[in-house]
Amino acid sequence: MFRRPLAAAALALTLGSAGCVHGRGTPQDPVVGAVVLEGVRSVDEGLLAEGLATRGPVPRPGLSGRLNKDRQRFEPDALPTDVKRIESFYRDRGYYGVQVEPSVEEIGPGIVRVVFRVSEGRPARVTKLDVEGLDAAPEAARKLGKVPLRVGEIFTVSAYDATRDQLVAALRNNGWATAEVTQSAVVLPEEAAVEVRYAVTPGARYRVGPIFVGRIAGISARKIQQQISAVLRSGEWWDESNLAAARRRLSDLGVFGAVRVTRAEPDTQRGTIAVVIDLRQAKYQTLRAGPGLAFDPTRWDAHGEVSWQHRNFLGDLRRLTLDGRAGYAWVPTPFAYRKRGPVASLTADFQQPGALGRWIDAEARAQVERGIEEAYDYVGERLRLGLPLRIVSPLALVPSVNFEVYQLSNATAQVVSGQPVAPGSTQPVLENCKGSLCLLMYLEQLVAWDARDNPLNTRRGWYGAVTLQEGVRVGGYGYRYLRFRPELRAFYPLGRHSVLALRTRVGGLIPINETGNPPIVARFYAGGPLSMRGYYTDRFSPMIRQNGAWVPVGGNGAADGSLELRFDVAGDWGGAIFVDAAGVSDYSANPTEYQTALDPTRLQWASGLGLRYRTPFGPVRLDVGVRLPTDYRAGVPFDQRFPVVPYTPPGTVHREPILAVQLALGEAF
């Protein structure tokens, strides 16, 4: 119920205007000025009110809808219906003794207030719960687990039905494909008690029979069967849930316009059930092109982009994607730049499902890029060879081999290893790089489990991931290190219109038998729309002073976290209140220096408000983050109350702007 004041506060800050209510009535034909539910304590009052025919002022469409509302006409005939709806709502939640008394009060000329006075009574609890017939299916009984409805708890229709569904699922997912479960409940209102009975009829136990695959040009039935064999194979005990798993596995390939996985009639003589897979071919090729503009106070980037994808390249589900981008960048802005120049990239992605059996795919990614950073310019070539394992749908397990080569130029002098750079030099001796050539070779392992209900607009679930890198040397090139970054995100709905979201992650880079600092291209940075929103992109980092400007050079450790309350405002508009925290470490070669990023006394904090507009590609997001002060002593100037950027050269102090405005597509996490 607290979502309304939060939403109203966010809108008031955004729009800066007071609200008004539209609609006039007459004494003979009044309008509804308010609907009041008195005595509602044990159920969701907002959800109850939404189911009534009589409603209070209704928000208008659009961003300012909650501040501009329309009243509806009062319909006396709707009151008896609403009384029955309230009683039904309560009974579904176990309150069988509920009583509702409606009344209508005049609160102004042609305006009435409708009051429903609710006496909830005692909730009915489950006093007896019998499950009969499950002994005939012992394997299903062992997999059943705890059922939603239990003795001693309040009886609700949702838990009553969910228990039946769980019994059916346990049976049909363990071979009893034709099992049926009937349910009955005896309610004793005077005793506030309910006696529940489930009768199980298992039927025969079946195995998976033949799998029939519809033909699609350019894709063999063998390849499709190989893809689903990880979750669905002939001869195994029947598992109804594997039909949905097979459908998801085929849909995730992105090749088919529609996928249907259905079962045929059971073969009682053979004890099997055949599976039928119907596929609808989609367009294999997609071409996209368009302009783009990215900007914040630290960088502007204008570019054009073209992308081509073939989802059945050379047949058998191979996918090839080519992306090209070209543009121009200014650091920090086109109006007062320190650096500027062309930027471009060309990327090729290739994927082969089932390259090494049904579990293991193959992927390759090659990229050439010309870029500009605050500390250096570069031409980079990257190659990645990976073998993703597709064992179960929520799990991502991707080992890979990576090669990255950077030809650096215009590098900041202080990035070199203990040697001054001669004026006008074009070949700076960069740390752990040969001349201007910086090369990274590393093995990487990504392990992730995605239990979110929707990756773009998440309301419930969690996501966990760990990325490990092991840097190696080959022929005198490269850098030996261990780099790790675990991450955890959690999402919990607070009612129907708000979500509490949490994200925490840490990262560290540990040199192994190396001297000097880690290469600048391998370090950690924080700040920006996907990190600590009190700083702009990469600006929360160890810094050096170069040509009168402060330049981030990265650290060998970083930690950040966010706590965010997301709520609906009106239509596709939403808002957020967030608190971010982050810490970074120096880029010293000390193997334990990365741990300072986890020091709670070094964390910096920011809080802010956000505005969201939902689109099919994720929300367009505007966040305003304000860093929090740490020095409250009297007499300290206002700007000096805020923390400094850590790890600047000895004898120097630098503070970034207190406020940062972030514009991005997609949630922060």
Side-chain angles (χ1 to χ4, degrees):
M1 268 73 78
F2 56 85
R3 67 177 179 84
R4 289 191 174 90
L6 286 176
L11 278 174
L13 289 173
T14 305
L15 300 175
S17 61
C20 55
V21 182
H22 302 269
R24 295 179 179 272
T26 66
Q28 295 76 27
D29 189 16
V31 295
V32 179
V35 175
V36 180
L37 294 167
E38 293 185 356
V40 176
R41 298 180 179 84
S42 304
V43 300
D44 187 326
E45 182 177 340
L47 187 60
L48 173 59
E50 288 181 5
L52 301 181
T54 305
R55 299 194 178 188
V58 179
R60 286 185 169 188
L63 176 59
S64 60
R66 289 191 179 273
L67 300 178
N68 295 276
K69 303 180 180 181
D70 290 319
R71 297 188 178 111
Q72 68 171 190
R73 298 294 176 183
F74 172 62
E75 299 290 345
D77 294 342
L79 291 184
T81 301
D82 284 337
V83 169
K84 292 180 180 178
R85 289 180 178 181
I86 294 173
E87 292 173 346
S88 177
F89 188 91
Y90 267 92
R91 287 168 182 162
D92 286 347
R93 288 153 181 79
Y95 289 81
Y96 289 90
V98 62
Q99 295 181 353
V100 183
E101 181 182 348
S103 63
V104 181
E105 304 170 359
E106 185 176 354
I107 58 175
I111 304 175
V112 298
R113 175 172 59 197
V114 180
V115 180
F116 295 96
R117 293 179 175 84
V118 179
S119 175
E120 295 180 334
R122 285 193 303 161
R125 298 183 179 273
V126 179
T127 58
K128 186 177 181 181
L129 178 62
D130 293 331
V131 180
E132 301 174 356
L134 192 59
D135 293 343
E139 292 81 1
R142 286 195 296 268
K143 298 290 183 65
L144 180 61
K146 291 184 178 180
V147 296
L149 196 67
R150 291 189 284 273
V151 173
E153 295 188 354
I154 297 175
F155 175 84
T156 66
V157 172
S158 60
Y160 176 58
D161 291 340
T163 299
R164 177 203 58 204
D165 295 341
Q166 188 170 325
L167 285 165
V168 172
L171 290 158
R172 296 188 179 180
N173 295 345
N174 288 279
W176 285 272
T178 59
E180 294 183 356
V181 178
T182 58
Q183 60 188 134
S184 60
V186 178
V187 180
L188 306 173
E190 294 181 358
E191 302 176 17
V194 182
E195 298 178 353
V196 181
R197 175 179 176 271
Y198 295 96
V200 176
T201 307
R205 199 178 187 197
Y206 290 88
R207 294 183 182 272
V208 179
I211 300 174
F212 301 100
V213 180
R215 295 185 60 84
I216 292 289
I219 304 175
S220 66
R222 178 194 59 80
K223 196 69 176 179
I224 295 173
Q225 288 181 334
Q226 181 190 57
Q227 284 298 302
I228 66 170
S229 63
V231 295
L232 186 65
R233 284 187 291 177
S234 297
E236 294 184 342
W237 287 115
W238 180 263
D239 186 338
E240 195 87 9
S241 65
N242 285 341
L243 299 182
R247 182 171 59 252
R248 286 194 303 269
R249 195 173 179 89
L250 294 176
S251 297
D252 289 345
L253 296 172
V255 177
F256 308 111
V259 178
R260 291 184 59 201
V261 181
T262 57
R263 72 181 199 180
E265 290 295 323
D267 187 332
T268 56
Q269 292 184 345
R270 294 184 173 87
T272 61
I273 300 177
V275 177
V276 179
I277 299 176
D278 293 323
L279 305 171
R280 181 180 300 172
Q281 181 174 328
K283 291 183 178 180
Y284 290 149
Q285 300 186 52
T286 302
L287 179 65
R288 296 187 177 93
L293 177 65
F295 59 91
D296 66 27
T298 64
R299 179 188 181 94
W300 285 55
D301 188 329
H303 61 267
E305 185 173 1
V306 61
S307 175
W308 174 82
Q309 185 179 78
H310 197 304
R311 286 176 289 276
N312 195 34
F313 183 69
L314 300 179
D316 278 349
L317 306 176
R318 299 180 183 91
R319 180 183 297 188
L320 177 64
T321 305
L322 301 177
D323 288 300
R325 174 182 293 195
Y328 206 83
W330 298 264
V331 177
T333 73
F335 316 107
Y337 56 84
R338 295 189 301 271
K339 303 176 70 175
R340 62 175 180 171
V343 292
S345 67
L346 180 63
T347 307
D349 278 301
F350 177 78
Q351 295 176 323
Q352 171 64 73
L356 300 176
R358 66 178 184 271
W359 301 104
I360 305 176
D361 300 344
E363 63 180 20
R365 177 184 176 91
Q367 183 181 57
V368 179
E369 182 178 15
R370 201 281 186 195
I372 296 176
E373 298 293 339
E374 290 189 84
Y376 58 89
D377 300 346
Y378 68 93
V379 174
E381 297 89 26
R382 305 180 185 94
L383 178 64
R384 173 188 177 89
L385 304 174
L387 296 173
L389 279 71
R390 298 201 304 148
I391 301 174
V392 293
S393 181
L395 176 66
L397 180 58
V398 187
S400 63
V401 180
N402 298 263
F403 303 87
E404 299 181 5
V405 181
Y406 300 88
Q407 291 87 37
L408 304 184
S409 60
N410 296 328
T412 301
Q414 291 91 331
V415 178
V416 303
S417 179
Q419 301 182 26
V421 176
S425 172
T426 59
Q427 295 290 328
V429 183
L430 297 167
E431 289 180 301
N432 284 292
C433 301
K434 289 193 173 184
S436 62
L437 184 68
C438 194
L439 186 146
L440 290 178
M441 293 173 287
Y442 57 90
L443 305 176
E444 182 179 83
Q445 304 84 43
L446 167 66
V447 181
W449 188 278
D450 192 346
R452 296 172 293 178
D453 59 346
N454 186 322
L456 294 180
N457 292 299
T458 309
R459 289 192 51 81
R460 183 187 299 273
W462 63 276
Y463 171 88
V466 177
T467 303
L468 297 175
Q469 290 181 4
E470 300 87 26
V472 299
R473 277 186 177 268
V474 176
Y477 287 88
Y479 188 78
R480 292 182 292 259
Y481 66 90
L482 174 65
R483 192 179 195 269
F484 60 89
R485 191 159 206 186
E487 178 180 5
L488 178 64
R489 311 175 196 175
F491 306 86
Y492 184 77
L494 301 176
R496 301 181 62 193
H497 300 280
S498 58
V499 175
L500 186 65
L502 171 70
R503 190 266 303 278
T504 180
R505 60 182 175 180
V506 299
L509 190 153
I510 307 174
I512 300 176
N513 298 324
E514 293 283 3
T515 58
N517 299 322
I520 192 171
V521 294
R523 298 177 191 168
F524 289 96
Y525 300 81
L530 303 179
S531 181
M532 164 52 142
R533 284 166 282 185
Y535 282 86
Y536 286 108
T537 302
D538 294 345
R539 298 296 295 182
F540 191 16
S541 158
M543 287 191 176
I544 57 177
R545 195 160 178 81
Q546 171 75 2
N547 298 328
W550 287 96
V551 177
V553 293
N556 65 355
D560 62 0
S562 298
L563 181 65
E564 186 169 284
L565 177 64
R566 303 169 183 172
F567 50 85
D568 295 339
V569 175
D572 290 325
W573 291 92
I577 300 174
F578 62 85
V579 176
D580 293 346
V584 295
S585 69
D586 199 357
Y587 54 92
S588 166
N590 182 346
T592 63
E593 182 64 26
Y594 73 92
Q595 296 177 358
T596 60
L598 301 176
D599 186 344
T601 64
R602 295 177 182 264
L603 292 179
Q604 295 192 21
W605 297 80
S607 182
L609 298 174
L611 188 65
R612 311 284 187 266
Y613 183 78
R614 298 183 185 88
T615 73
F617 310 102
V620 177
R621 172 167 55 94
L622 176 67
D623 287 331
V624 179
V626 180
R627 292 191 292 117
L628 304 182
T630 55
D631 192 339
Y632 294 93
R633 293 175 300 172
V636 177
F638 178 77
D639 62 332
Q640 296 181 22
R641 294 181 180 273
F642 295 85
V644 301
V645 174
Y647 307 112
T648 55
T652 63
V653 173
H654 173 61
R655 288 180 172 87
E656 286 286 295
I658 299 169
L659 182 145
V661 180
Q662 316 282 357
L663 180 65
L665 177 64
E667 292 287 4
F669 56 94

